[in-house]
Amino acid sequence: MENSSCEKGEMIEEPLLLDDSETQKGGFRTLPFILGNAALMNAATSALTPNMILYLMNEYHMDMTAGSNILFMWSAVTNISPVVGAFMADSFVGRFQMIGLGSVVTLVGMFLFWLTSVIPQARPPPCVDSNNICRSADVFQLFFLCFSLGIVAIGAGAIKSSSLAFGSDQLKREIYQTNAHAMERYFSWYYASCALSILVALTCLVYIQVNMGWALGFGVPVSLTLFSTLLIYLGTPFYVKLKPKSSLINGFFQVLVASYRNRCLRLSSQSADILYHQKKGSTVVLPSEKLRFLNKACIVQDPQLDLSPDGEATDPWRLCTVDQVEELKALVKVVPIWLTGVVLAINMSQNSFPVLQANTMDRHIGSSFEIPAASFGIFAVISAIFWIVLYDYLILPIASKLTGKPAHFSTKERMGFGVFLSFLSVLVMAVVEGVRRSIAIKEGYSDDPEGVIPMSAMWLLPQNSLAGFAEALNAIGQNEFYISEFPRSMSSVASALLGAGMGVGSLLASCIMSSIDDLTKREGQESWVSSNINHGHYDYYYLVLAGFSLVNILFYIVCSRAYGPCKEEVMEEEKP
């Protein structure tokens, strides 16, 4: 499918809806409040993830598969809830109100989860070491745990749904019209601020959990959440607050119903022969030629019957505006490319096993300092930040000098390269795990899943670095791609699509792990994803993921070519 909205004269855009009192507001002075809120909140919620599998296995006595599935589900809710929040922000609530509400909800959820670490009755009693008897969590304890994590996920999702788009609202619209790469740099450094917050979570906050206990380790994130909530409200006098428009979801259904009800209408190749219903003040005059069957939803058959005296549709379920049709088309056309990001998200959501893997390896630097097992994800974050700096300050300047003109890699090129690097990362992970497992068995650690084998954990750096490069390339590319291709009225929806892909990827990852667990359990044999990683075969598990990733590369190539040129590519071609 080609992107017809990229064609000249058909780029979707609509004016900002601002109050007169807000025309002097906004600008770069608001970004410290917005970025600070996002970064602190991200640090607080990210601090829960790295050691969570150890917390569930040690304190709640869960096995590897059960604990991982809880984390997959938690990740799914965290990443899918921004889609619901985005529709609500764009259609009813407003982006600032959504961020503020999400901050308060996250604070409540973080406080409730902290209580699981300080109230002994909130979790099962310790195991009886002499008999190795461990009692599982009862219904109330599991409910309280899942409820608190769910509240955190919903609140964090509400913030993610609008934070990126709300920050872009504060910048003058002329920035994007006069400097095509300003948006790219803004997205890059927004992502960098979030990456730095994860860096803090994986070092300082993880260190506190490992060395000072769960109560303090989970209490510090509560304090960060409180400060983050106060910060977003401190900038209230300076924000530009766009008015939400009518419900996008309602509009999408209206287009589908209207196009079906008008399915018998004939579409002419001569646009002058057809009268289309236009939104007042909109610059979109004609619908695009792709997905033409949807154009029937905005055809005016009889102006006397279909339109009221003020120019509005008498029946919005039979006649829609050109803008409504193009908004739905924009969403439909990106779905194939979005699906390739879902497969990549399956690889990115594998957070449990790497912690157990690192826990069995020599993590010492020097004779005294030992890196916490959950902190090895820091190398992926460092790689992502390194790529952002390298791309902006070395790769692009050198490429510009070599070509004699400003160089730029399109969003689709960056996303594609990220998909390829993700495939390499899981392939390397399978190889490293095969080596680690063979050493563990050879050294007699087969029945000791927590025994430290004589293999340096620095072997984990290549896979983490490749994963960091892949995430930086693909995540930044996806965000820029969606927001650039969608109309401004759908900015929050566009910025939430990446998270939605991560959420769906987490659900699929849970299904894959559970399926492999069921299929590989045999009488007298351990599952590939056994809680004893030396008995399991996680190298085979990651080879399966590598196979999915290889297919995904081919699928992305097909989808990218079918999509056709996007807006940024059309603008580049039109430059003299």
Side-chain angles (χ1 to χ4, degrees):
M1 294 181 295
E2 293 183 0
N3 181 22
S4 56
S5 65
C6 299
E7 298 172 4
K8 187 175 181 180
E10 294 183 348
M11 295 177 66
I12 305 173
E13 190 59 272
E14 65 180 67
L16 296 176
L17 302 176
L18 297 176
D19 293 330
D20 293 337
S21 61
E22 294 189 345
T23 55
Q24 302 301 319
K25 294 184 178 181
F28 289 101
R29 61 180 176 174
T30 62
L31 296 187
F33 298 101
I34 299 170
L35 294 180
N37 169 265
L40 289 173
M41 196 66 70
N42 198 42
T45 54
S46 298
L48 304 185
T49 305
N51 277 317
M52 185 63 75
I53 187 63
L54 297 178
Y55 185 65
L56 295 179
M57 293 178 71
N58 296 335
E59 301 297 329
Y60 281 82
H61 313 144
M62 297 182 184
D63 60 26
M64 172 67 178
T65 303
S68 295
N69 282 332
I70 285 182
L71 295 185
F72 282 138
M73 295 301 173
W74 180 37
S75 175
V77 176
T78 301
N79 288 294
I80 292 177
S81 59
V83 179
V84 179
F87 277 109
M88 292 180 62
D90 282 350
S91 305
F92 306 106
V93 182
R95 291 167 189 162
F96 169 71
Q97 288 81 0
M98 184 59 63
I99 295 173
L101 179 62
S103 298
V104 174
V105 171
T106 306
L107 178 61
V108 173
M110 294 287 286
F111 178 76
L112 292 177
F113 178 73
W114 173 70
L115 292 180
T116 66
S117 65
V118 297
I119 301 178
Q121 291 76 15
R123 60 187 187 276
C127 299
V128 179
D129 293 334
S130 57
N131 298 317
N132 197 26
I133 298 175
C134 300
R135 199 181 80 185
S136 301
D138 59 33
V139 175
F140 173 77
Q141 290 166 340
L142 282 177
F143 172 79
F144 191 79
L145 171 71
C146 295
F147 178 76
S148 61
L149 290 176
I151 295 296
V152 172
I154 292 172
I159 298 171
K160 290 179 181 179
S161 71
S162 300
S163 183
L164 183 63
F166 186 59
S168 66
D169 291 341
Q170 310 308 312
L171 304 179
K172 293 181 179 179
R173 188 175 178 182
E174 288 75 16
I175 291 178
Y176 305 116
Q177 295 175 335
T178 58
N179 184 352
H181 305 316
M183 182 181 292
E184 178 184 337
R185 177 158 293 186
Y186 167 65
F187 290 146
S188 293
W189 289 107
Y190 180 94
Y191 184 84
S193 67
C194 291
L196 286 171
S197 67
I198 296 176
L199 201 65
V200 173
L202 292 176
T203 53
C204 301
L205 301 183
V206 165
Y207 180 85
I208 293 174
Q209 292 170 9
V210 172
N211 294 279
M212 302 181 185
W214 299 117
L216 184 59
F218 293 146
V220 173
V222 176
S223 301
L224 293 179
T225 307
L226 176 61
F227 185 66
S228 173
T229 304
L230 295 175
L231 191 62
I232 193 64
Y233 283 107
L234 286 175
T236 301
F238 311 113
Y239 298 140
V240 168
K241 302 173 186 175
L242 303 186
K243 296 179 180 178
K245 57 171 289 183
S246 58
S247 173
L248 285 172
I249 298 180
N250 192 48
F252 290 159
F253 281 111
Q254 286 176 343
V255 172
L256 293 174
V257 171
S259 60
Y260 176 77
R261 295 175 70 178
N262 298 335
R263 62 190 181 281
C264 296
L265 293 180
R266 177 176 174 271
L267 288 173
S268 172
S269 59
Q270 300 294 326
S271 58
D273 297 340
I274 301 177
L275 176 62
Y276 294 103
H277 180 35
Q278 301 173 18
K279 180 181 178 180
K280 291 181 180 180
S282 173
T283 58
V284 185
V285 179
L286 301 174
S288 58
E289 288 298 308
K290 303 303 176 183
L291 300 174
R292 293 182 73 225
F293 66 93
L294 293 175
N295 293 352
K296 296 179 180 182
C298 58
I299 295 178
V300 179
Q301 302 177 57
D302 186 341
Q304 300 295 328
L305 298 177
D306 295 340
L307 299 176
S308 62
D310 60 355
E312 298 294 332
T314 55
D315 184 2
W317 293 92
R318 184 175 289 276
L319 178 62
C320 303
T321 65
V322 177
D323 290 74
Q324 286 178 283
V325 171
E326 291 304 301
E327 286 171 351
L328 179 58
K329 285 183 179 181
L331 183 61
V332 171
K333 286 184 293 189
V334 303
V335 168
I337 289 182
W338 175 79
L339 288 174
T340 65
V342 171
V343 179
L344 182 142
I346 294 175
N347 300 338
M348 294 167 56
S349 63
Q350 305 294 324
N351 297 318
S352 300
F353 169 70
V355 177
L356 300 182
Q357 183 186 41
N359 204 42
T360 67
M361 303 172 75
D362 183 6
R363 294 172 279 114
H364 284 90
I365 297 180
S367 58
S368 57
F369 181 73
E370 185 179 42
I371 303 176
S375 293
F376 272 81
I378 192 176
F379 295 108
V381 179
I382 292 174
S383 299
I385 298 173
F386 177 71
W387 170 258
I388 293 171
V389 176
L390 188 69
Y391 180 76
D392 278 345
Y393 293 102
L394 185 61
I395 294 178
L396 289 185
I398 291 177
S400 299
K401 288 183 179 180
L402 293 176
T403 59
K405 60 180 181 180
H408 173 64
F409 295 96
S410 70
T411 53
K412 290 194 295 183
E413 290 171 338
R414 282 177 275 146
M415 286 190 291
F417 195 39
V419 169
F420 174 71
L421 290 180
S422 178
F423 160 70
L424 288 183
S425 70
V426 290
L427 190 61
V428 170
M429 193 167 190
V431 174
V432 171
E433 171 53 19
V435 174
R436 187 211 65 80
R437 183 178 183 274
S438 63
I439 293 176
I441 295 175
K442 181 180 178 181
E443 296 293 330
Y445 289 96
S446 178
D447 296 324
D448 185 7
E450 297 183 0
V452 178
I453 66 174
M455 180 179 179
S456 173
M458 295 301 110
W459 278 89
L460 304 179
L461 264 61
Q463 64 197 43
N464 279 284
S465 298
L466 287 170
F469 289 146
E471 184 175 358
L473 280 161
N474 193 269
I476 295 173
Q478 280 196 65
N479 269 330
E480 184 182 345
F481 176 74
Y482 299 139
I483 291 186
S484 298
E485 296 300 300
F486 281 13
R488 184 176 290 273
S489 60
M490 298 173 66
S491 292
S492 291
V493 176
S495 63
L497 279 179
L498 173 64
M502 290 294 297
V504 175
S506 295
L507 290 177
L508 291 177
S510 176
C511 293
I512 292 172
M513 175 170 281
S514 297
S515 299
I516 289 179
D517 183 48
D518 293 335
L519 291 173
T520 58
K521 277 181 179 178
R522 298 175 183 175
E523 189 173 334
Q525 292 187 359
E526 292 276 357
S527 163
W528 284 3
V529 288
S530 169
S531 296
N532 184 332
I533 64 174
N534 296 329
H535 284 180
H537 259 295
Y538 284 89
D539 48 346
Y540 296 169
Y541 172 71
Y542 277 96
L543 283 176
V544 172
L545 297 185
F548 285 130
S549 298
L550 183 59
V551 174
N552 192 45
I553 293 172
L554 301 177
F555 182 61
Y556 179 82
I557 293 173
V558 173
C559 294
S560 179
R561 291 181 177 178
Y563 191 90
C566 57
K567 290 181 181 180
E568 60 174 342
E569 294 169 332
V570 173
M571 292 173 63
E572 290 289 338
E573 292 176 0
E574 292 176 350
K575 288 182 179 179

